[in-house]
Amino acid sequence: NTDGFLAFIPANGTDPTWFAYQGGIGSDQTTAAAYSGTGELFAGGITHSSGWVSGGFKTEWVKSSTDTFGFVEKWAPPVPPSITQDLTDVSVMDGETAIFSLAATGSSPLWYLWYWNGLLYETTSSGSFSFAADMSMNGGSLSCVVSNLIGTARSSTATLTVTNIPPSITANPTNLTVMEGATVSFTVAATGSAPLYYNWTRDGAVISGATNATYGFTSLLVDNGAEFACSVSNLSGSVTSATALLTVTN
């Protein structure tokens, strides 16, 4: 048995009209192609399997309640990518997530090639790209090339601005009582954009070389009653810890 069909395809681009078909109970699907008066290409056929028809054909007709289904699909030529919403500049604080996004149209699949400072960084399947920003990225540029099987489209270049986070003391040095000759260790904890700079003071005077988060030395009786504090700074400012008192006994 043989399946076959005849359809009229209007020049105005509306749905085709079936004129005739025939089908055998035990036969498989058959397909054919035809052009409309405007040069549009249609593929069509009939089948005994409704599941096969519903697997992707957008226009279909039931020709028999028991065995035969007709279908016609208009073929659309592939469309190259086109960017409809471009990248824009992004500003974030140090350590925050920077999110760049654009929108594009075109035949699937679309690939998004992301370029950081002119060098290919990553390829994704969506128009959104995010990463954790740090101060080394300040002033960097990001662009995207959207590609499919028949063409490409390039976005504009967007700039990333990363702002320093000022330092903040999270743990102050604490008062200490030690015996003469014991090791003394004062510690401060702070957050903020790197690099962080530490400067310890004794009774308000800067201690030469004491530039770490911890300051230690061997105690003497003359150190009894001395007060120690630490100033923490970065490019955005500075903050000074509370004062810690040292008591030395013999």
Side-chain angles (χ1 to χ4, degrees), residues 150-236:
I150 62 168
T152 60
R154 182 178 292 274
S155 75
S156 62
T157 298
T159 299
L160 174 64
T161 299
V162 183
T163 304
N164 262 294
I165 299 175
S168 176
I169 302 293
T170 58
N172 286 290
T174 58
N175 298 335
L176 293 176
T177 298
V178 298
M179 296 291 292
E180 181 183 15
T183 298
V184 175
S185 182
F186 290 104
T187 299
V188 67
T191 59
S193 296
L196 292 175
Y197 303 99
Y198 300 86
N199 290 282
W200 287 90
T201 61
R202 173 182 170 138
D203 296 330
V206 174
I207 305 171
S208 177
T211 56
N212 295 313
T214 297
Y215 172 59
F217 60 94
T218 301
S219 64
L220 300 173
L221 282 176
V222 294
D223 298 319
N224 183 48
E227 294 182 333
F228 297 84
C230 185
S231 173
V232 185
S233 63
N234 65 8
L235 295 177
S236 291

